[in-house]
């Protein structure tokens, strides 16, 4: 029973990546452009709200990476190198603590960053596959659902 479940899981993962590879190989320029700009495939097929949402998501993940994740992920391997030190300052007559690396924060925020990046990678791959699906619908002359129709379905 467990072997069948494992086989189904690996089969699903294989299918997921096979669809992605097919989209890259057979997709038009807008599908390929979706690898860089996530909204390109949607914008070409006049799904402007989805194009905007994908673009905003991509910008948000880039901003998250630059402004937050890069403070912690580079230190993940060592969990920080600066130890906490307490030094007494004679002029203020108080103990001061240096700007040390908090290993728990580094671990927590690095793992959170990895989860965000993994989820984004899945959405990014599905975006390319959906852009290719829309291309095939367009080429076949079939109706491409609007954003409102997608919400209702």
């Amino acid at each position: 029973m467990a072997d069948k479940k494992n086989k189904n899981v690996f089969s699903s993962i294989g299918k997921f990546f096979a669809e992605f590879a097919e989209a890259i190989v057979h997709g038009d320029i807008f599908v390929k452009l979706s690898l860089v700009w996530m909204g390109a495939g949607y914008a070409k097929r006049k799904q402007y709200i989805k194009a905007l949402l994908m673009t905003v998501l991509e910008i948000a993940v880039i901003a998250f990476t630059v402004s937050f994740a890069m403070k912690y992920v580079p230190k993940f391997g060592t969990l920080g190198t600066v130890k906490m030190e307490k030094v007494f300052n004679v002029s203020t007559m108080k103990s001061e603590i240096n700007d040390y690396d908090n290993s728990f924060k580094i671990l927590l925020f690095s793992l959170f960053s990895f989860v965000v990046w993994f989820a984004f990678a899945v959405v990014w791959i599905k975006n390319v596959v959906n852009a290719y699906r829309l291309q095939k619908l367009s080429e076949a002359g079939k109706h491409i659902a609007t954003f409102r129709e997608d919400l209702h379905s």
Side-chain angles (χ1 to χ4, degrees):
M1 178 96 160
D3 289 339
K4 187 175 181 180
K5 285 183 182 179
N6 288 340
K7 185 177 179 181
N8 289 339
V9 168
F10 290 120
S11 167
S12 297
I13 292 171
K15 182 182 175 198
F16 180 74
F17 286 110
E19 288 175 341
F20 179 61
E22 180 185 351
I24 292 172
V25 171
H26 299 294
D28 64 7
I29 188 69
F30 291 97
V31 173
K32 289 175 175 63
L33 188 57
S34 291
L35 293 167
V36 179
W37 171 38
M38 289 179 62
Y42 293 119
K44 168 66 176 162
R45 308 309 187 255
K46 295 181 176 52
Q47 292 193 323
Y48 301 116
I49 295 175
K50 283 186 182 179
L52 179 66
L53 291 173
M54 287 293 123
T55 302
V56 167
L57 174 66
E58 185 173 15
I59 291 169
V61 170
I62 291 169
F64 165 81
T65 299
V66 170
S67 67
F68 181 78
M70 285 298 113
K71 292 178 187 173
Y72 301 101
V73 173
K75 299 176 185 178
F76 181 70
T78 61
L79 294 180
T81 55
V82 179
K83 293 182 179 181
M84 184 175 99
E85 291 180 359
K86 191 184 257 188
V87 178
F88 184 75
N89 187 339
V90 178
S91 63
T92 62
M93 299 301 282
K94 293 183 180 179
S95 293
E96 296 176 352
I97 298 174
N98 68 331
D99 188 22
Y100 64 97
D101 290 334
N102 185 333
S103 60
F104 180 73
K105 278 177 60 175
I106 293 169
L107 178 65
L108 179 67
F109 293 149
S110 293
L111 292 176
F112 176 72
S113 297
F114 296 146
V115 169
V116 168
W117 290 338
F118 178 78
F120 178 73
V122 171
V123 170
W124 179 70
I125 290 171
K126 288 299 288 178
N127 172 65
V128 173
V129 170
N130 286 339
Y132 180 59
R133 183 183 54 80
L134 290 174
Q135 174 194 334
K136 291 194 299 189
L137 285 173
S138 177
E139 289 171 350
K142 294 184 179 175
H143 173 70
I144 295 177
T146 64
F147 185 72
R148 184 170 287 167
E149 291 170 344
D150 281 341
L151 284 177
H152 288 292
S153 68

